[in-house]
Amino acid sequence: MASLIARSLVLNSRRGVQLTSVRFANKMMADPVEHATGLEKQELLSKAAGNENPFDMRVYKRVSGDQTNPTSVPSFYDRRLVGCICEEDATSINWMWLEKGESKRCECGYWFQLQDAKPMV
Amino acid sequence: MTSSHGHHAFHLVDMSPWPLTGSISAMMLTTGLVKWFHQFNPDLLVLGVVATTLTMIQWWRDITREGTYQGLHTKAVTIGLRWGMILFITSEVLFFFSFFWAFFHSSLSPNVEVGSCWPPAGIQTFNPFQIPLLNTAILLASGATVTWAHHAIMEANYTQSVQGLSITVILGMYFTALQALEYYEAPFTIADSVYGSTFFVATGFHGLHVIIGSTFLSVCLYRLYKCHFSSSHHFGFEAAAWYWHFVDVVWLFLYISIYWWGG
């Protein structure tokens, strides 16, 4: 028994751990995208296709935003909460519900309107 | 696949009975403890332990189903889970901080009742260079093996990840066994002055956390074996590893302050 152990130790240390013939072969795990499923998989596929922002989480920049040219806010539903950061150093966000059909004006003067959004993933 | 859910990255969970059963079982645990202490009847407590265990198994089973089998754990969801684990471990740090406070309160300025000295007169303390030192080596080694397992997972090396995590679990059990032996052989009890109180409450809660951590790692080992993890998404394992490192660090503080300085 002792000689068997000593022999396997000597052989294995000469070959290195990576080549050691353990009881199960050096198995690898599945590719992460292949392993994923559902929404997570769609997110990963989207990112692999080059879209770094599949759920549109970015902060929108306002356009000129007066009543004739309101900023479009995409939404899957008929109303969406919109938060306006009135100026760059503002210490609070001005939240308002935006309903489908009617434009709305933030107190700082900028106008918003709802727009139908296309599914991200 | 539910089309309504492609609209946002977050996970609005389905209705679940486990928060209710969890709160009922927590109530049974606490009231059961009181009933055991005052009326010498542990039945409600036992029921509470069973109910809590069943809640935990089923709640975390559901989370595994939602994340691994349904793919609902997007990047945003995982970030939320990370913050959750960080905040939980922070609360545990504060929990142990209180026991260290208690220890230092009594040991830095020992009462006349204990002999104005620390350790108190008549207390035979453990030699910090025997079993406690071995326990330190065991936990430090287990920290290394769990890190080995993590790197193996990130490199998609299934074999080594199983090896590393298995050794980690074995080391955790070895620590628990040795500590149980120490408790059995201890020449002092929890009733032996404030020394016994601070020693057993601090090391006792630590031991409980080792058991919790070992269980968490064992579940991860099972999930690893069942190929739930991918090389880039294995947050359950990371959470277990974070918790295990926390347990290791608490032990180091215990060893230095209570076993070594306090001995």
Side-chain angles (χ1 to χ4, degrees):
Chain A
M1 182 66 183
S3 59
L4 279 172
I5 294 173
R7 203 150 161 267
S8 69
L9 270 173
V10 165
L11 278 171
N12 290 336
S13 52
R14 219 180 278 146
R15 288 192 290 175
V17 176
Q18 283 303 318
L19 292 171
T20 305
S21 56
V22 286
R23 221 170 290 137
F24 38 99
N26 215 1
K27 288 197 278 194
M28 305 300 274
M29 289 151 68
D31 167 62
V33 181
E34 204 183 293
H35 184 269
T37 182
L39 191 61
E40 188 197 348
K41 183 169 188 137
Q42 291 180 305
E43 184 189 29
L44 289 174
L45 286 173
S46 230
K47 290 207 168 141
N51 179 6
E52 274 306 312
N53 186 23
F55 294 106
D56 202 21
M57 309 263 273
R58 62 192 172 92
V59 177
Y60 276 70
K61 256 200 101 57
R62 286 179 306 214
V63 297
S64 70
D66 63 345
Q67 198 163 7
T68 52
N69 184 24
T71 309
S72 283
V73 173
S75 170
F76 294 104
Y77 305 101
D78 290 339
R79 55 205 296 257
R80 186 176 185 180
L81 258 179
V82 173
C84 181
I85 301 172
C86 299
E87 73 258 352
E88 207 182 294
D89 309 324
T91 51
S92 63
I93 300 174
N94 190 21
W95 297 100
M96 66 203 95
W97 276 107
L98 201 53
E99 311 279 343
K100 193 165 184 166
E102 49 181 50
S103 306
K104 209 168 210 175
R105 177 186 182 274
C106 174
E107 291 218 338
C108 63
Y110 281 89
W111 285 82
F112 299 95
Q113 78 178 4
L114 212 61
Q115 172 195 58
D116 283 326
K118 33 183 207 318
M120 306 297 168
V121 286
Chain B
M1 206 132 36
T2 50
S3 58
S4 62
H5 192 24
H7 299 171
H8 61 82
F10 303 101
H11 184 198
L12 299 171
V13 294
D14 294 328
M15 291 286 272
S16 162
W18 312 127
L20 180 62
T21 63
S23 45
I24 290 172
S25 56
M27 188 72 173
M28 284 199 276
L29 280 177
T30 44
T31 341
L33 264 178
V34 175
K35 194 154 193 268
W36 182 37
F37 291 159
H38 289 268
Q39 297 176 355
F40 308 102
N41 184 346
D43 295 348
L44 186 58
L45 177 63
V46 170
L47 192 56
V49 170
V50 170
T52 308
T53 309
L54 285 174
T55 299
M56 291 194 288
I57 290 172
Q58 290 173 108
W59 195 335
W60 282 319
R61 175 209 64 188
D62 283 356
I63 294 174
T64 305
R65 286 175 173 176
E66 290 160 2
T68 303
Y69 300 144
Q70 291 186 275
L72 292 166
H73 286 183
T74 58
K75 193 88 180 61
V77 172
T78 311
I79 288 171
L81 292 169
R82 282 179 193 278
W83 277 114
M85 194 64 193
I86 289 168
L87 292 172
F88 172 65
I89 292 178
T90 306
S91 76
E92 295 254 74
V93 168
L94 298 173
F95 180 72
F96 276 96
F97 185 76
S98 67
F99 297 121
F100 279 99
W101 185 325
F103 168 72
F104 284 115
H105 174 92
S106 298
S107 59
L108 282 167
S109 182
N111 283 345
V112 68
E113 285 89 347
V114 300
S116 305
C117 57
W118 195 272
I123 295 280
Q124 285 173 53
T125 60
F126 288 111
N127 183 344
F129 299 108
Q130 289 177 343
I131 301 287
L133 185 59
L134 173 58
N135 274 343
T136 305
I138 289 169
L139 284 185
L140 287 173
S142 70
T145 53
V146 79
T147 306
W148 170 30
H150 190 198
H151 283 263
I153 290 176
M154 291 191 287
E155 288 158 25
N157 188 334
Y158 177 83
T159 313
Q160 288 200 24
S161 60
V162 170
Q163 287 169 343
L165 191 47
S166 302
I167 296 175
T168 309
V169 171
I170 289 167
L171 287 172
M173 291 181 184
Y174 189 23
F175 176 96
T176 304
L178 283 172
Q179 196 66 332
L181 205 58
E182 285 282 87
Y183 270 31
Y184 184 71
E185 299 286 342
F188 56 89
T189 71
I190 197 172
D192 288 320
S193 83
V194 73
Y195 184 87
S197 301
T198 50
F199 180 90
F200 284 108
V201 168
T203 61
F205 270 116
H206 174 261
L208 178 64
H209 284 69
V210 170
I211 292 168
I212 292 168
S214 301
T215 309
F216 196 170
L217 288 166
S218 305
V219 169
C220 285
L221 181 56
Y222 175 71
R223 292 185 67 204
L224 178 61
Y225 175 70
K226 288 287 191 180
C227 298
H228 286 195
F229 301 132
S230 77
S231 58
S232 54
H233 189 174
H234 45 265
F235 177 65
F237 175 86
E238 290 182 74
W242 288 352
Y243 196 78
W244 192 250
H245 288 305
F246 153 72
V247 159
D248 186 10
V249 169
V250 170
W251 171 259
L252 294 174
F253 278 97
L254 279 175
Y255 180 71
I256 300 289
S257 6
I258 297 184
Y259 284 90
W260 198 344
W261 175 81

